[in-house]
Amino acid sequence: MSKKWSIAALLVYVVYAIGMYFYIFHGPSGGVPATLKGTVADPQTFMTERELLLSDDFSKIRNYLFFIITPFEWLVYILIMFTGLSRIFEKWADSRWKLIKNGAYLFLLYLFTTLIFYPIDLYRYHLSKEYGISTQEFSSWMKDFVIDFWVNFGTTLIVVLVLYWLIQKSTKKWWFHAWLLTIPFAIFMMYIQPVVIDPLYNEFYPLKDKELEAKILSLADQADIPSEHVFEVNMSEKTNALNAYVTGIGENSRIVLWDTTLNSLTDEEILFIMAHEMGHYVEKHIYIGIASYLISILVGLWLIAKLMPWIISRFGSVLKIDKVGDIRSLPLFFVLVSFLLFVSSPLSNYISRYQETRADEYAMELTGSAEAAVSTFQNLAKAGLSEVNPPWLVKIFRYTHPPMLERINTIARYTDTKKEKPEQEKDADDQTETESEKEKQTKPKTE
């Protein structure tokens, strides 16, 4: 029975992968609408012919990898259960101490899946190098890969040990208790991210350009954002892409600029990017994000708590799982988490794109420089070989930011609105003056 299910799962995945191949490489392309041909939003006006070709090829490959890797992850975990490999891991991890057993099982599972996905990660690294995005040496990439392994394993270990301890204590309410613990854990991770985790990968230091720092802090002061220092990070040894962000909470919050951004953009363009990040702060997006994250975790854990017992009761013999509290059920838990994240990504991405649009609009309000905004987006697209107008399916599943075509149009609409307002105000003033003159002419004279 398990063999038949394994073959069926493989066939379904192969059919899906072939279907996605034809959609990505031979399906409808986003392209540029006829009304925007030749405008500042048209990549042909700011990208060379070679950049356009590379952008098209690179985007299609990345999009295809995105759509086949996540289902491949589900397939790997399903086969681990179907083939009995999960039971073998449990046997190797056997210990009289439950925590040690669960921790050892997770390590074996995590190591195995890391090795399975290593060729894909390596291919993505070489792909990025081939298209000129990555500048990172292989030794540096391997160092980051190893750091990733231990950081992710460490955080996952904490989650799994607590999770299965809660399942043992309360088979019905474990999901709610796990959610309650998620709140302080998430806040703690956000607090230590800038000062503990990020420095493991890159070197952070105060912005060297003090004149630019003064401009950024002045902008932050206009937005009523408490900030004392701006940091730059050495990313040019790893990438040609551009980025800037605000990270952390409380006293560990900081504004961070990649050195590639500092080296490639003008001060006006950098200030626009900073104003965009400040827009997230002013619009309370970080708090909305935390609230959305906690709500989604609550709903997700509740769904998993309902689905796992049902799946095990129906297919437990095939999956070789006796009950939810068995550590052998962990691959099933990972599959459900990954699946729920994938199917909910269109909604979360939509919310994120809306927030990014609001941040762009705020940046325009704060800086008032449409030229800097347009040139910033054009440079970002060139540096990252971005697809300015992706196909619909790619957009809803992949894009947390609006495509560059939409972002440049946002600037254009903002500029048009600003131009219309003074004219409307002028027309209103003229109308008022005309009505005033009429009143004077019709007003009866008095002796």
Side-chain angles (χ1 to χ4, degrees):
M1 180 64 74
S2 295
K3 185 178 180 180
K4 291 181 179 179
W5 280 88
S6 298
I7 294 173
L10 280 168
L11 287 175
V12 169
Y13 177 75
V14 170
V15 170
Y16 166 80
I18 293 173
M20 288 310 305
Y21 173 83
F22 280 101
Y23 175 80
I24 297 296
F25 290 96
H26 302 287
S29 175
V32 177
T35 55
L36 295 177
K37 291 283 187 180
T39 68
V40 291
D42 186 350
Q44 292 192 3
T45 64
F46 60 86
M47 296 177 79
T48 66
E49 187 175 342
R50 182 174 181 275
E51 288 172 335
L52 288 169
L53 181 62
L54 291 175
S55 172
D56 184 59
D57 290 344
F58 188 52
S59 296
K60 285 179 178 178
I61 295 172
R62 285 195 304 176
N63 292 338
Y64 184 63
L65 287 175
F66 170 82
F67 280 105
I68 66 169
I69 285 176
T70 301
F72 180 68
E73 178 186 355
W74 308 340
L75 178 66
V76 169
Y77 283 125
I78 289 171
L79 291 179
I80 286 173
M81 291 183 285
F82 282 168
T83 60
L85 192 57
S86 181
R87 182 175 287 176
I88 293 173
F89 288 160
E90 185 185 34
K91 185 178 179 180
W92 289 351
D94 193 29
S95 170
R96 59 182 293 187
W97 303 101
K98 200 75 170 179
L99 289 179
I100 295 176
K101 177 183 177 179
N102 291 352
Y105 173 91
L106 174 64
F107 178 77
L108 292 171
L109 178 66
Y110 199 81
L111 179 62
F112 178 79
T113 54
T114 298
L115 293 175
I116 289 292
F117 279 91
Y118 178 78
I120 298 175
D121 293 329
L122 185 61
Y123 171 73
R124 294 167 90 170
Y125 162 70
H126 284 297
L127 181 71
S128 187
K129 288 276 285 188
E130 181 183 349
Y131 281 86
I133 304 299
S134 174
T135 59
Q136 191 173 18
E137 295 298 325
F138 178 73
S139 58
S140 174
W141 179 81
M142 273 303 303
K143 177 186 174 183
D144 285 350
F145 185 85
V146 173
I147 293 173
D148 262 343
F149 175 87
W150 289 110
V151 169
N152 292 333
F153 172 73
T155 53
T156 307
L157 178 65
I158 295 171
V159 172
V160 168
L161 292 181
V162 172
L163 184 70
Y164 276 81
W165 177 77
L166 290 173
I167 292 174
Q168 291 290 333
K169 293 293 182 181
S170 176
T171 55
K172 292 185 177 181
K173 293 293 184 180
W174 64 265
W175 59 273
F176 184 71
H177 300 306
W179 177 75
L180 290 176
L181 291 176
T182 297
I183 300 173
F185 183 73
I187 294 173
F188 173 73
M189 292 301 295
M190 291 178 65
Y191 183 78
I192 68 169
Q193 179 84 30
V195 294
V196 176
I197 298 176
D198 289 346
L200 295 174
Y201 298 90
N202 300 292
E203 182 182 357
F204 293 79
Y205 37 85
L207 185 61
K208 296 174 184 176
D209 188 339
K210 295 304 176 185
E211 185 177 342
L212 177 60
E213 182 181 44
K215 293 179 182 178
I216 294 173
L217 294 178
S218 174
L219 204 64
D221 185 58
Q222 292 178 47
D224 294 325
I225 297 175
S227 182
E228 297 181 359
H229 299 289
V230 181
F231 288 81
E232 63 179 282
V233 54
N234 181 16
M235 290 297 296
S236 55
E237 294 180 355
K238 296 184 178 182
T239 183
N240 286 318
L242 313 179
N243 196 17
Y245 57 90
V246 177
T247 185
I249 57 174
E251 61 184 20
N252 285 350
S253 62
R254 56 177 57 176
I255 299 171
V256 179
L257 280 161
W258 286 11
D259 63 340
T260 52
T261 304
L262 293 167
N263 297 334
S264 302
L265 301 183
T266 65
D267 283 6
E268 288 72 20
E269 291 168 338
I270 292 171
L271 289 175
F272 175 80
I273 291 177
M274 288 292 93
H276 169 94
E277 298 302 331
M278 294 171 190
H280 287 305
Y281 179 92
V282 172
E283 295 277 340
K284 312 297 185 190
H285 290 165
I286 185 171
Y287 301 109
I288 295 172
I290 292 173
S292 300
Y293 169 77
L294 292 176
I295 292 172
S296 63
I297 290 293
L298 177 63
V299 174
L301 287 172
W302 177 79
L303 285 172
I304 291 172
K306 298 297 181 183
L307 289 171
M308 280 186 71
W310 180 82
I311 293 173
I312 292 172
S313 67
R314 292 288 301 273
F315 309 104
S317 59
V318 179
L319 297 173
K320 297 176 176 57
I321 303 172
D322 298 325
K323 56 183 180 179
V324 175
D326 289 341
I327 192 61
R328 290 198 307 272
S329 68
L330 185 59
L332 176 60
F333 178 83
F334 284 159
V335 168
L336 291 174
V337 169
S338 179
F339 177 78
L340 291 174
L341 287 173
F342 186 78
V343 298
S344 64
S345 60
L347 176 60
S348 60
N349 288 346
Y350 174 81
I351 295 172
S352 176
R353 288 195 301 271
Y354 172 77
Q355 291 179 338
E356 295 298 333
T357 299
R358 291 288 299 159
D360 284 345
E361 293 171 348
Y362 179 84
M364 284 300 302
E365 290 284 348
L366 193 59
T367 63
S369 177
E371 294 80 7
V374 170
S375 61
T376 297
F377 292 142
Q378 290 176 339
N379 285 321
L380 288 171
K382 284 165 63 72
L385 295 179
S386 301
E387 195 173 16
V388 297
N389 192 30
W392 177 77
L393 202 61
V394 173
K395 175 184 170 181
I396 66 169
F397 274 96
R398 285 207 65 196
Y399 277 60
T400 57
H401 290 60
M404 288 302 176
L405 192 73
E406 293 183 14
R407 302 187 80 173
I408 294 175
N409 277 340
T410 297
I411 302 305
R413 288 197 304 270
Y414 172 87
T415 304
D416 291 341
T417 302
K418 281 296 182 182
K419 285 180 180 178
E420 289 174 1
K421 279 185 178 179
E423 292 178 0
Q424 291 172 354
E425 290 173 0
K426 185 173 182 291
D427 291 343
D429 290 342
D430 292 343
Q431 182 67 24
T432 302
E433 290 177 6
T434 303
E435 291 176 355
S436 178
E437 289 296 326
K438 285 182 179 179
E439 287 178 2
K440 289 181 180 178
Q441 292 174 8
T442 57
K443 187 176 181 180
K445 292 182 180 180
T446 57
E447 298 295 334

